[in-house]
mmCIF file of all heavy atoms in Angstrom:
data_model
loop_
_atom_site.group_PDB
_atom_site.id
_atom_site.type_symbol
_atom_site.label_atom_id
_atom_site.label_comp_id
_atom_site.label_asym_id
_atom_site.label_seq_id
_atom_site.Cartn_x
_atom_site.Cartn_y
_atom_site.Cartn_z
ATOM 1 N N PRO A 1 50.835 34.819 -82.022
ATOM 2 C CA PRO A 1 49.719 35.770 -82.168
ATOM 3 C C PRO A 1 48.815 35.867 -80.947
ATOM 4 O O PRO A 1 48.233 36.933 -80.698
ATOM 5 C CB PRO A 1 48.944 35.192 -83.382
ATOM 6 C CG PRO A 1 49.943 34.418 -84.142
ATOM 7 C CD PRO A 1 50.871 33.802 -83.091
ATOM 8 N N VAL A 2 48.655 34.784 -80.172
ATOM 9 C CA VAL A 2 47.820 34.847 -78.983
ATOM 10 C C VAL A 2 48.467 35.772 -77.950
ATOM 11 O O VAL A 2 47.799 36.456 -77.206
ATOM 12 C CB VAL A 2 47.587 33.423 -78.409
ATOM 13 C CG1 VAL A 2 46.754 33.545 -77.118
ATOM 14 C CG2 VAL A 2 46.860 32.586 -79.437
ATOM 15 N N ALA A 3 49.801 35.735 -77.871
ATOM 16 C CA ALA A 3 50.494 36.618 -76.966
ATOM 17 C C ALA A 3 50.267 38.091 -77.352
ATOM 18 O O ALA A 3 50.319 38.977 -76.474
ATOM 19 C CB ALA A 3 52.030 36.314 -76.962
ATOM 20 N N VAL A 4 50.035 38.367 -78.622
ATOM 21 C CA VAL A 4 49.720 39.729 -79.057
ATOM 22 C C VAL A 4 48.376 40.156 -78.378
ATOM 23 O O VAL A 4 48.244 41.299 -77.920
ATOM 24 C CB VAL A 4 49.537 39.783 -80.578
ATOM 25 C CG1 VAL A 4 49.036 41.144 -81.031
ATOM 26 C CG2 VAL A 4 50.895 39.456 -81.246
ATOM 27 N N VAL A 5 47.403 39.274 -78.298
ATOM 28 C CA VAL A 5 46.110 39.584 -77.708
ATOM 29 C C VAL A 5 46.328 39.882 -76.198
ATOM 30 O O VAL A 5 45.725 40.808 -75.669
ATOM 31 C CB VAL A 5 45.083 38.441 -77.918
ATOM 32 C CG1 VAL A 5 43.753 38.813 -77.200
ATOM 33 C CG2 VAL A 5 44.858 38.236 -79.387
ATOM 34 N N ALA A 6 47.090 39.049 -75.524
ATOM 35 C CA ALA A 6 47.372 39.253 -74.096
ATOM 36 C C ALA A 6 48.078 40.592 -73.881
ATOM 37 O O ALA A 6 47.725 41.369 -72.965
ATOM 38 C CB ALA A 6 48.170 38.111 -73.548
ATOM 39 N N TRP A 7 49.075 40.888 -74.747
ATOM 40 C CA TRP A 7 49.752 42.159 -74.624
ATOM 41 C C TRP A 7 48.811 43.335 -74.777
ATOM 42 O O TRP A 7 48.845 44.327 -74.031
ATOM 43 C CB TRP A 7 50.903 42.223 -75.677
ATOM 44 C CG TRP A 7 51.611 43.557 -75.659
ATOM 45 C CD1 TRP A 7 52.700 43.888 -74.950
ATOM 46 C CD2 TRP A 7 51.254 44.734 -76.450
ATOM 47 N NE1 TRP A 7 53.013 45.234 -75.210
ATOM 48 C CE2 TRP A 7 52.166 45.740 -76.123
ATOM 49 C CE3 TRP A 7 50.260 45.009 -77.375
ATOM 50 C CZ2 TRP A 7 52.103 47.014 -76.654
ATOM 51 C CZ3 TRP A 7 50.147 46.294 -77.918
ATOM 52 C CH2 TRP A 7 51.082 47.273 -77.591
ATOM 53 N N LEU A 8 47.930 43.249 -75.803
ATOM 54 C CA LEU A 8 46.981 44.363 -76.035
ATOM 55 C C LEU A 8 46.045 44.525 -74.874
ATOM 56 O O LEU A 8 45.788 45.635 -74.432
ATOM 57 C CB LEU A 8 46.235 44.062 -77.319
ATOM 58 C CG LEU A 8 45.161 45.068 -77.718
ATOM 59 C CD1 LEU A 8 45.835 46.421 -78.008
ATOM 60 C CD2 LEU A 8 44.387 44.605 -78.941
ATOM 61 N N ALA A 9 45.490 43.397 -74.352
ATOM 62 C CA ALA A 9 44.586 43.508 -73.214
ATOM 63 C C ALA A 9 45.262 44.178 -72.009
ATOM 64 O O ALA A 9 44.681 45.028 -71.347
ATOM 65 C CB ALA A 9 44.059 42.144 -72.860
ATOM 66 N N ASN A 10 46.481 43.816 -71.752
ATOM 67 C CA ASN A 10 47.199 44.353 -70.604
ATOM 68 C C ASN A 10 47.557 45.817 -70.826
ATOM 69 O O ASN A 10 47.483 46.659 -69.901
ATOM 70 C CB ASN A 10 48.466 43.529 -70.313
ATOM 71 C CG ASN A 10 48.111 42.189 -69.773
ATOM 72 O OD1 ASN A 10 47.136 42.006 -69.065
ATOM 73 N ND2 ASN A 10 48.921 41.178 -70.102
ATOM 74 N N THR A 11 47.945 46.169 -72.031
ATOM 75 C CA THR A 11 48.309 47.576 -72.325
ATOM 76 C C THR A 11 47.094 48.460 -72.258
ATOM 77 O O THR A 11 47.130 49.563 -71.665
ATOM 78 C CB THR A 11 48.949 47.646 -73.725
ATOM 79 O OG1 THR A 11 50.115 46.780 -73.765
ATOM 80 C CG2 THR A 11 49.370 49.029 -74.080
ATOM 81 N N LEU A 12 45.969 48.069 -72.893
ATOM 82 C CA LEU A 12 44.750 48.852 -72.845
ATOM 83 C C LEU A 12 44.196 48.924 -71.449
ATOM 84 O O LEU A 12 43.581 49.876 -70.989
ATOM 85 C CB LEU A 12 43.696 48.278 -73.781
ATOM 86 C CG LEU A 12 43.998 48.470 -75.278
ATOM 87 C CD1 LEU A 12 42.912 47.773 -76.087
ATOM 88 C CD2 LEU A 12 44.085 49.938 -75.664
ATOM 89 N N GLY A 13 44.352 47.805 -70.653
ATOM 90 C CA GLY A 13 43.877 47.727 -69.276
ATOM 91 C C GLY A 13 44.453 48.773 -68.406
ATOM 92 O O GLY A 13 43.803 49.259 -67.447
ATOM 93 N N GLU A 14 45.697 49.183 -68.695
ATOM 94 C CA GLU A 14 46.353 50.264 -67.940
ATOM 95 C C GLU A 14 45.609 51.590 -68.083
ATOM 96 O O GLU A 14 45.770 52.508 -67.252
ATOM 97 C CB GLU A 14 47.807 50.429 -68.391
ATOM 98 C CG GLU A 14 48.656 49.215 -68.104
ATOM 99 C CD GLU A 14 50.054 49.308 -68.678
ATOM 100 O OE1 GLU A 14 50.303 50.349 -69.325
ATOM 101 O OE2 GLU A 14 50.824 48.370 -68.490
ATOM 102 N N HIS A 15 44.803 51.674 -69.132
ATOM 103 C CA HIS A 15 44.040 52.932 -69.437
ATOM 104 C C HIS A 15 42.541 52.725 -69.215
ATOM 105 O O HIS A 15 41.734 53.524 -69.645
ATOM 106 C CB HIS A 15 44.314 53.403 -70.848
ATOM 107 C CG HIS A 15 45.759 53.560 -71.152
ATOM 108 N ND1 HIS A 15 46.510 54.649 -70.672
ATOM 109 C CD2 HIS A 15 46.614 52.806 -71.872
ATOM 110 C CE1 HIS A 15 47.772 54.510 -71.094
ATOM 111 N NE2 HIS A 15 47.865 53.412 -71.845
ATOM 112 N N GLY A 16 42.192 51.587 -68.549
ATOM 113 C CA GLY A 16 40.813 51.329 -68.271
ATOM 114 C C GLY A 16 39.948 50.892 -69.444
ATOM 115 O O GLY A 16 38.727 51.002 -69.440
ATOM 116 N N VAL A 17 40.600 50.394 -70.497
ATOM 117 C CA VAL A 17 39.915 49.947 -71.694
ATOM 118 C C VAL A 17 39.948 48.440 -71.786
ATOM 119 O O VAL A 17 41.023 47.805 -71.559
ATOM 120 C CB VAL A 17 40.535 50.568 -72.976
ATOM 121 C CG1 VAL A 17 39.847 50.044 -74.237
ATOM 122 C CG2 VAL A 17 40.458 52.102 -72.914
ATOM 123 N N ALA A 18 38.863 47.792 -72.091
ATOM 124 C CA ALA A 18 38.795 46.327 -72.199
ATOM 125 C C ALA A 18 38.526 45.932 -73.657
ATOM 126 O O ALA A 18 38.046 46.697 -74.470
ATOM 127 C CB ALA A 18 37.685 45.775 -71.368
ATOM 128 N N LEU A 19 38.936 44.716 -74.004
ATOM 129 C CA LEU A 19 38.597 44.104 -75.264
ATOM 130 C C LEU A 19 37.246 43.447 -75.118
ATOM 131 O O LEU A 19 37.006 42.730 -74.174
ATOM 132 C CB LEU A 19 39.660 43.050 -75.695
ATOM 133 C CG LEU A 19 41.111 43.562 -75.771
ATOM 134 C CD1 LEU A 19 42.010 42.404 -76.181
ATOM 135 C CD2 LEU A 19 41.210 44.703 -76.775
ATOM 136 N N GLU A 20 36.324 43.742 -76.018
ATOM 137 C CA GLU A 20 34.951 43.307 -75.905
ATOM 138 C C GLU A 20 34.614 42.160 -76.818
ATOM 139 O O GLU A 20 35.234 41.968 -77.859
ATOM 140 C CB GLU A 20 34.044 44.481 -76.200
ATOM 141 C CG GLU A 20 34.235 45.730 -75.357
ATOM 142 C CD GLU A 20 33.849 45.478 -73.869
ATOM 143 O OE1 GLU A 20 33.190 44.484 -73.578
ATOM 144 O OE2 GLU A 20 34.202 46.365 -73.040
ATOM 145 N N PRO A 21 33.610 41.332 -76.431
ATOM 146 C CA PRO A 21 33.140 40.265 -77.302
ATOM 147 C C PRO A 21 32.796 40.763 -78.732
ATOM 148 O O PRO A 21 32.137 41.794 -78.872
ATOM 149 C CB PRO A 21 31.931 39.720 -76.591
ATOM 150 C CG PRO A 21 32.111 40.091 -75.183
ATOM 151 C CD PRO A 21 32.854 41.379 -75.207
ATOM 152 N N GLY A 22 33.265 40.042 -79.724
ATOM 153 C CA GLY A 22 33.045 40.434 -81.093
ATOM 154 C C GLY A 22 34.122 41.326 -81.684
ATOM 155 O O GLY A 22 34.166 41.514 -82.899
ATOM 156 N N HIS A 23 34.999 41.851 -80.842
ATOM 157 C CA HIS A 23 36.096 42.685 -81.355
ATOM 158 C C HIS A 23 36.994 41.876 -82.261
ATOM 159 O O HIS A 23 37.283 40.678 -81.990
ATOM 160 C CB HIS A 23 36.915 43.236 -80.168
ATOM 161 C CG HIS A 23 36.412 44.562 -79.687
ATOM 162 N ND1 HIS A 23 37.006 45.232 -78.642
ATOM 163 C CD2 HIS A 23 35.420 45.353 -80.132
ATOM 164 C CE1 HIS A 23 36.376 46.408 -78.456
ATOM 165 N NE2 HIS A 23 35.392 46.482 -79.334
ATOM 166 N N LEU A 24 37.439 42.512 -83.324
ATOM 167 C CA LEU A 24 38.478 41.939 -84.202
ATOM 168 C C LEU A 24 39.819 42.411 -83.737
ATOM 169 O O LEU A 24 40.039 43.615 -83.540
ATOM 170 C CB LEU A 24 38.218 42.390 -85.635
ATOM 171 C CG LEU A 24 36.848 42.038 -86.259
ATOM 172 C CD1 LEU A 24 36.675 42.801 -87.574
ATOM 173 C CD2 LEU A 24 36.716 40.549 -86.449
ATOM 174 N N ILE A 25 40.780 41.475 -83.568
ATOM 175 C CA ILE A 25 42.120 41.793 -83.143
ATOM 176 C C ILE A 25 43.080 41.420 -84.246
ATOM 177 O O ILE A 25 43.283 40.245 -84.527
ATOM 178 C CB ILE A 25 42.471 41.091 -81.831
ATOM 179 C CG1 ILE A 25 41.384 41.281 -80.741
ATOM 180 C CG2 ILE A 25 43.811 41.598 -81.357
ATOM 181 C CD1 ILE A 25 41.120 42.748 -80.387
ATOM 182 N N MET A 26 43.679 42.420 -84.896
ATOM 183 C CA MET A 26 44.686 42.199 -85.920
ATOM 184 C C MET A 26 46.084 42.037 -85.214
ATOM 185 O O MET A 26 46.443 42.915 -84.438
ATOM 186 C CB MET A 26 44.699 43.366 -86.856
ATOM 187 C CG MET A 26 43.353 43.648 -87.464
ATOM 188 S SD MET A 26 43.325 45.175 -88.430
ATOM 189 C CE MET A 26 44.342 44.691 -89.767
ATOM 190 N N THR A 27 46.692 40.890 -85.490
ATOM 191 C CA THR A 27 47.879 40.550 -84.656
ATOM 192 C C THR A 27 49.222 40.909 -85.270
ATOM 193 O O THR A 27 50.234 40.629 -84.647
ATOM 194 C CB THR A 27 47.801 39.062 -84.311
ATOM 195 O OG1 THR A 27 47.835 38.305 -85.545
ATOM 196 C CG2 THR A 27 46.577 38.698 -83.519
ATOM 197 N N GLY A 28 49.248 41.544 -86.414
ATOM 198 C CA GLY A 28 50.488 42.017 -86.965
ATOM 199 C C GLY A 28 50.930 41.243 -88.233
ATOM 200 O O GLY A 28 50.607 40.082 -88.443
ATOM 201 N N ALA A 29 51.695 41.949 -89.052
ATOM 202 C CA ALA A 29 52.088 41.423 -90.357
ATOM 203 C C ALA A 29 52.981 40.220 -90.256
ATOM 204 O O ALA A 29 53.822 40.131 -89.374
ATOM 205 C CB ALA A 29 52.794 42.524 -91.176
ATOM 206 N N LEU A 30 52.828 39.280 -91.186
ATOM 207 C CA LEU A 30 53.650 38.087 -91.240
ATOM 208 C C LEU A 30 54.748 38.214 -92.311
ATOM 209 O O LEU A 30 55.480 37.250 -92.559
ATOM 210 C CB LEU A 30 52.761 36.829 -91.530
ATOM 211 C CG LEU A 30 51.590 36.630 -90.574
ATOM 212 C CD1 LEU A 30 50.878 35.333 -90.949
ATOM 213 C CD2 LEU A 30 52.084 36.573 -89.139
ATOM 214 N N HIS A 31 54.857 39.383 -92.940
ATOM 215 C CA HIS A 31 55.838 39.603 -93.985
ATOM 216 C C HIS A 31 56.017 41.108 -94.188
ATOM 217 O O HIS A 31 55.336 41.912 -93.574
ATOM 218 C CB HIS A 31 55.338 38.953 -95.329
ATOM 219 C CG HIS A 31 54.030 39.582 -95.754
ATOM 220 N ND1 HIS A 31 53.933 40.611 -96.641
ATOM 221 C CD2 HIS A 31 52.730 39.287 -95.369
ATOM 222 C CE1 HIS A 31 52.684 40.928 -96.823
ATOM 223 N NE2 HIS A 31 51.920 40.141 -96.080
ATOM 224 N N VAL A 32 56.884 41.485 -95.103
ATOM 225 C CA VAL A 32 57.098 42.881 -95.407
ATOM 226 C C VAL A 32 55.942 43.445 -96.208
ATOM 227 O O VAL A 32 55.391 42.834 -97.095
ATOM 228 C CB VAL A 32 58.402 43.072 -96.218
ATOM 229 C CG1 VAL A 32 58.584 44.533 -96.637
ATOM 230 C CG2 VAL A 32 59.608 42.593 -95.370
ATOM 231 N N ALA A 33 55.455 44.630 -95.843
ATOM 232 C CA ALA A 33 54.303 45.255 -96.541
ATOM 233 C C ALA A 33 54.571 45.462 -98.012
ATOM 234 O O ALA A 33 55.693 45.779 -98.417
ATOM 235 C CB ALA A 33 53.978 46.588 -95.873
ATOM 236 N N VAL A 34 53.508 45.238 -98.819
ATOM 237 C CA VAL A 34 53.592 45.266 -100.286
ATOM 238 C C VAL A 34 52.771 46.424 -100.820
ATOM 239 O O VAL A 34 51.581 46.544 -100.523
ATOM 240 C CB VAL A 34 53.074 43.966 -100.905
ATOM 241 C CG1 VAL A 34 53.207 43.960 -102.410
ATOM 242 C CG2 VAL A 34 53.845 42.766 -100.305
ATOM 243 N N PRO A 35 53.347 47.337 -101.628
ATOM 244 C CA PRO A 35 52.583 48.433 -102.201
ATOM 245 C C PRO A 35 51.456 47.926 -103.088
ATOM 246 O O PRO A 35 51.552 46.878 -103.736
ATOM 247 C CB PRO A 35 53.626 49.178 -103.034
ATOM 248 C CG PRO A 35 54.924 48.827 -102.412
ATOM 249 C CD PRO A 35 54.796 47.436 -101.936
ATOM 250 N N MET A 36 50.345 48.674 -103.096
ATOM 251 C CA MET A 36 49.138 48.301 -103.887
ATOM 252 C C MET A 36 49.013 49.246 -105.073
ATOM 253 O O MET A 36 49.307 50.423 -104.999
ATOM 254 C CB MET A 36 47.908 48.446 -102.970
ATOM 255 C CG MET A 36 47.865 47.550 -101.806
ATOM 256 S SD MET A 36 46.548 48.055 -100.632
ATOM 257 C CE MET A 36 45.113 48.131 -101.674
ATOM 258 N N SER A 37 48.498 48.689 -106.162
ATOM 259 C CA SER A 37 48.248 49.467 -107.385
ATOM 260 C C SER A 37 46.922 49.084 -107.951
ATOM 261 O O SER A 37 46.501 47.912 -107.798
ATOM 262 C CB SER A 37 49.352 49.243 -108.426
ATOM 263 O OG SER A 37 50.618 49.635 -107.953
ATOM 264 N N PRO A 38 46.206 50.014 -108.630
ATOM 265 C CA PRO A 38 44.925 49.614 -109.250
ATOM 266 C C PRO A 38 45.108 48.458 -110.189
ATOM 267 O O PRO A 38 46.062 48.363 -110.967
ATOM 268 C CB PRO A 38 44.559 50.934 -110.010
ATOM 269 C CG PRO A 38 45.225 52.009 -109.240
ATOM 270 C CD PRO A 38 46.541 51.422 -108.757
ATOM 271 N N GLY A 39 44.154 47.538 -110.126
ATOM 272 C CA GLY A 39 44.198 46.332 -110.944
ATOM 273 C C GLY A 39 44.806 45.101 -110.266
ATOM 274 O O GLY A 39 44.622 43.985 -110.743
#
């Protein structure tokens, strides 16, 4: 997951965008997505 942060910083950096203090970084699913239903 830390490599995800490095990848994101480098990818955004190519467009002049930085990751800022306090930013939340979601690093990707650890399993297959599960449909949600009310209740």
Side-chain angles (χ1 to χ4, degrees):
V2 179
V4 173
V5 178
W7 176 89
L8 179 63
N10 290 328
T11 301
L12 290 177
E14 296 173 359
H15 305 286
V17 178
L19 303 179
E20 302 292 347
H23 270 178
L24 301 169
I25 310 298
M26 305 172 69
T27 59
L30 304 183
H31 61 93
V32 176
V34 181
M36 299 166 53
S37 299

